Amino acid sequence: MDAKPIIMTVSFQALPGKEAELREALTEVLTPTRQEDGCLFYDLHVAADDPSKFLFHESWASNAHHDAHDQTPHIQRLRARIKELSLPAAKTWWEKIG
């Protein structure tokens, strides 16, 4: 496994009229994800000035833990619906420097 945790953000822009549905779909994965092995934190945010923009801020103990997360049933269900709710997600990996 990796020597240090990984941190990432994943942002979503709801399609017009799909804001509430996207919010619900994203919220549904919070509890099961937070219970996964290797999940250090998994937080969902909405833009303060735009209820159609959402952001996951997450950290995993290793890439292997994140890879396992991507294969879970709750994430697979979300992926199956995301095209009807959101523009393509933007994923960014981060390294802690301080």
Side-chain angles (χ1 to χ4, degrees), residues 1 26 28 38 41 49 64-66 71 77 89-90 93:
M1 289 194 200
L26 298 175
E28 287 176 358
F41 63 80
D49 62 348
H65 287 102
H66 181 260
Q71 301 307 313
R77 282 191 300 274
W93 297 84

Side-chain angles (χ1 to χ4, degrees), residues 39-98:
C39 179
L40 303 178
F41 63 80
Y42 193 78
D43 299 325
L44 178 62
H45 306 273
V46 64
D49 62 348
D50 187 344
S52 70
K53 293 181 180 179
F54 298 91
L55 176 82
F56 278 121
H57 181 214
E58 55 192 274
S59 183
W60 297 90
S62 69
N63 280 322
H65 287 102
H66 181 260
D67 291 346
H69 161 70
D70 277 344
Q71 301 307 313
T72 59
H74 52 276
I75 294 301
Q76 293 302 313
R77 282 191 300 274
L78 176 62
R79 284 198 173 138
R81 294 194 61 210
I82 205 67
K83 286 183 181 180
E84 71 187 53
L85 302 175
S86 173
L87 295 174
K91 187 182 289 190
T92 305
W93 297 84
W94 302 86
E95 291 182 10
K96 187 173 181 178
I97 58 174

Side-chain angles (χ1 to χ4, degrees), residues 11-57:
S11 59
F12 299 88
Q13 171 68 54
L15 294 172
K18 298 292 186 174
E19 297 85 0
E21 286 181 74
L22 179 58
R23 183 180 183 126
E24 181 180 340
L26 298 175
T27 302
E28 287 176 358
V29 302
L30 289 173
T31 297
T33 297
R34 288 174 176 159
Q35 295 171 352
E36 290 177 40
D37 186 41
C39 179
L40 303 178
F41 63 80
Y42 193 78
D43 299 325
L44 178 62
H45 306 273
V46 64
D49 62 348
D50 187 344
S52 70
K53 293 181 180 179
F54 298 91
L55 176 82
F56 278 121
H57 181 214

